[in-house]
Amino acid sequence: GQQLNQSPQSMFIQEGEDVSMNCTSSSIFNTWLWYKQDPGEGPVLLIALYKAGELTSNGRLTAQFGITRKDSFLNISASIPSDVGIYFCAGYNAGGTSYGKLTFGQGTILTVHP
Amino acid sequence: DAGVTQSPTHLIKTRGQQVTLRCSPKSGHDTVSWYQQALGQGPQFIFQYYEEEERQRGNFPDRFSGHQFPNYSSELNVNALLLGDSALYLCASSLGTGPGELFFGEGSRLTVL
């Protein structure tokens, strides 16, 4: 089945640094999503990408949908302590047998030191 | 505006027992999806309900079943519990069956002893 590989698995950074993480797939997705999950909470949608090559920003977050449709990356600029959490990428294909199903990566654990 | 609500938040069961988890979708949403998140892993899709029917199913055995009610709320049932069923069970709601804005609840933490 489809699998998403996220890297790095964990990051330890200083407040104010920029962060970059990426996600690759063995197969094509036509939608990429990035979520953040805090302890004891469900994932919260950060950015949705619907078109190959698309670059989308949400405040200090920027994400891109790779042109091959098999990868995506997320950048966080000028990190702050509340950026701590687990970041997940997720892929989706409308229609066919994947109807309604998100495939998630394993997550990137982000720790920000003040 | 209430978001996605799940109950119970935590529960402990023993092997072989059965469990029912409940979900109320965000106001205005008509589709509910269920995910299983094992410790240290990303969520895994179990199934999705729309118009009171199971529309899509992930790679989970028949021990996992669900239901959607006319008010769009949903239940997840797991029979003959195994130790490996211990996980956080997440409910997500959306409008229609595309991913769009998929809103997750806080989850139900199931521990099987």
Side-chain angles (χ1 to χ4, degrees):
Chain A
Q2 294 173 323
Q3 289 198 353
L4 297 186
N5 294 308
Q6 267 186 263
S7 64
Q9 289 187 330
S10 61
M11 304 181 72
F12 298 84
I13 62 170
Q14 291 292 129
E15 184 177 356
E17 290 184 354
D18 296 344
V19 172
S20 184
M21 59 189 79
N22 66 73
C23 195
T24 59
S25 170
S26 58
S27 53
I28 289 171
F29 287 104
N30 57 37
T31 299
W32 282 91
L33 307 162
W34 285 92
Y35 286 85
K36 178 176 183 256
Q37 186 174 28
D38 293 327
E41 306 280 333
V44 174
L45 181 65
L46 299 174
I47 291 180
L49 303 156
Y50 299 105
K51 197 169 155 182
E54 180 181 355
L55 186 71
T56 298
S57 293
N58 179 8
R60 294 178 296 106
L61 278 61
T62 301
Q64 183 155 29
F65 189 148
I67 57 172
T68 65
R69 298 179 182 261
K70 292 184 177 182
D71 61 341
S72 177
F73 73 76
L74 175 70
N75 285 343
I76 305 173
S77 62
S79 59
I80 58 178
S82 63
D83 290 334
V84 166
I86 305 175
Y87 291 79
F88 290 99
C89 61
Y92 172 82
N93 284 319
T97 59
S98 300
Y99 193 66
K101 171 186 172 183
L102 286 184
T103 301
F104 280 83
Q106 315 98 308
T108 294
I109 302 171
L110 178 62
T111 303
V112 180
H113 294 287
Chain B
D1 177 22
V4 179
T5 57
Q6 292 186 242
S7 63
T9 54
H10 295 82
L11 69 167
I12 300 173
K13 293 285 187 177
T14 56
R15 281 178 296 176
Q17 285 189 313
Q18 178 263 345
V19 68
T20 297
L21 308 177
R22 296 175 177 83
C23 173
S24 292
K26 181 178 168 61
S27 177
H29 285 182
D30 58 6
T31 303
V32 172
S33 302
W34 286 92
Y35 287 79
Q36 180 196 65
Q37 187 177 22
L39 201 60
Q41 301 294 317
Q44 297 285 317
F45 176 78
I46 302 175
F47 41 53
Q48 182 186 68
Y49 277 85
Y50 173 67
E51 293 185 335
E52 301 180 48
E53 288 187 9
E54 183 183 293
R55 296 290 175 162
Q56 183 59 233
R57 188 178 184 91
N59 189 25
F60 281 81
D62 291 343
R63 298 187 297 109
F64 289 77
S65 63
H67 188 77
Q68 186 179 34
F69 299 94
N71 67 353
Y72 308 121
S73 67
S74 177
E75 287 183 350
L76 165 66
N77 299 294
V78 186
N79 294 323
L81 285 167
L82 304 173
L83 295 179
D85 295 332
S86 295
L88 180 68
Y89 288 86
L90 294 163
C91 170
S93 74
S94 57
L95 182 61
T97 50
E101 294 287 339
L102 195 67
F103 288 83
F104 283 85
E106 295 186 351
S108 294
R109 172 73 63 187
L110 171 65
T111 302
V112 182
L113 301 177

